[in-house]
Amino acid sequence: NMALEVLGRDTVVFDQTPSNPTEAAVRAAATLYQQNACDGLVAFGGGSAIDCAKGVAIAATHAGPLKHYATIEGGSPRISERVAPLIAVPTTAGTGSECQSAALIADEVTHHKMACLDPKAAARIALLDPELTVSQPRRVTALTGLDALVHAVESAVTTRRTVWSALFSREAFRLCSGALETVLRSPDDLEARGRMLLGAALARWLAPR
């Protein structure tokens, strides 16, 4: 907030994202966005916060329930260029949500997770700062680190891989496999934290859709 205020930008904060973002949370944040005539979003947190922000980017600029914009692959033709611009600032190194376009939002009635997936909903900018990941509990560091490794392997072995996604997945695995043990042993090692953060992002950047 302070950085944006220094630039002369007014801000409003939504900090009620549940561990698995729901449509109710998205709607509450979207209402806040509209009431304050916001012109963009900064998602600060783990994959849940970033996914919630992607949902808000859609819900605040498109009418109807999110299920109208859910899709399996290829993007939703109902999502237009009106999607609110999003900057993602991850504080965990694992989901790679900052570099992929899907927002996984749970229906609080059925508990079914909707995938609102469209390139237009992806973050315009991802800011990767390893200092922001140092405060993670050790367990979160371990679990999100394994998540990043799994994403890299998934992208490498899928039959839908491409030359480019294979390159990114190999680099992601190289970065994370060497750094995960280091950050668990030495949590203040910023160089290793940076490798984990970059590896997690690369594992999802060109993942096959």
Side-chain angles (χ1 to χ4, degrees):
N1 286 356
M2 290 179 62
L4 290 171
E5 289 169 1
V6 166
L7 295 174
R9 308 294 293 185
D10 294 329
T11 61
V12 59
V13 176
F14 179 81
D15 59 3
Q16 302 301 312
T17 301
S19 56
N20 287 299
T22 61
E23 183 162 8
V26 169
R27 288 294 171 195
T31 297
L32 193 65
Y33 183 100
Q34 293 167 332
Q35 288 175 341
N36 289 274
C38 296
D39 56 9
L41 295 150
V42 177
F44 188 92
S48 294
I50 296 172
D51 273 16
C52 186
K54 290 178 194 171
V56 175
I58 298 168
T61 53
H62 293 71
L66 281 179
K67 66 182 180 181
H68 287 176
Y69 307 99
T71 184
I72 296 175
E73 59 180 311
S76 170
R78 294 179 175 177
I79 297 178
S80 73
E81 298 291 344
R82 297 194 309 276
V83 174
L86 168 65
I87 296 172
V89 187
T91 59
T92 64
T95 68
S97 184
E98 66 276 7
C99 284
Q100 53 102 350
S101 58
L104 295 180
I105 309 297
D107 184 309
E108 50 275 343
V109 177
T110 66
H111 303 292
H112 174 70
K113 284 193 175 183
M114 301 174 286
C116 300
L117 188 159
D118 192 285
K120 294 187 290 294
R124 308 279 181 90
I125 297 171
L127 299 178
L128 307 181
D129 183 348
E131 290 191 12
L132 298 176
T133 68
V134 171
S135 62
Q136 291 179 97
R138 190 172 190 271
R139 176 177 171 80
V140 175
T141 296
L143 293 178
T144 55
L146 288 174
D147 198 18
L149 284 170
V150 168
H151 288 159
V153 173
E154 283 177 337
S155 187
V157 302
T158 178
T159 56
R160 298 183 61 197
R161 67 183 178 274
T162 66
V163 172
W164 290 108
S165 68
L167 287 171
F168 276 68
S169 64
R170 280 197 294 269
E171 179 64 7
F173 189 85
R174 185 188 71 80
L175 289 165
C176 292
S177 62
L180 181 54
E181 184 178 352
T182 301
V183 295
L184 291 174
R185 186 177 60 247
S186 305
D188 293 329
D189 189 322
L190 287 181
E191 193 275 334
R193 288 282 187 185
R195 281 187 282 141
M196 285 301 304
L197 201 53
L198 182 58
L202 294 179
R204 300 302 287 168
W205 200 339
L206 285 181
R209 298 291 186 249

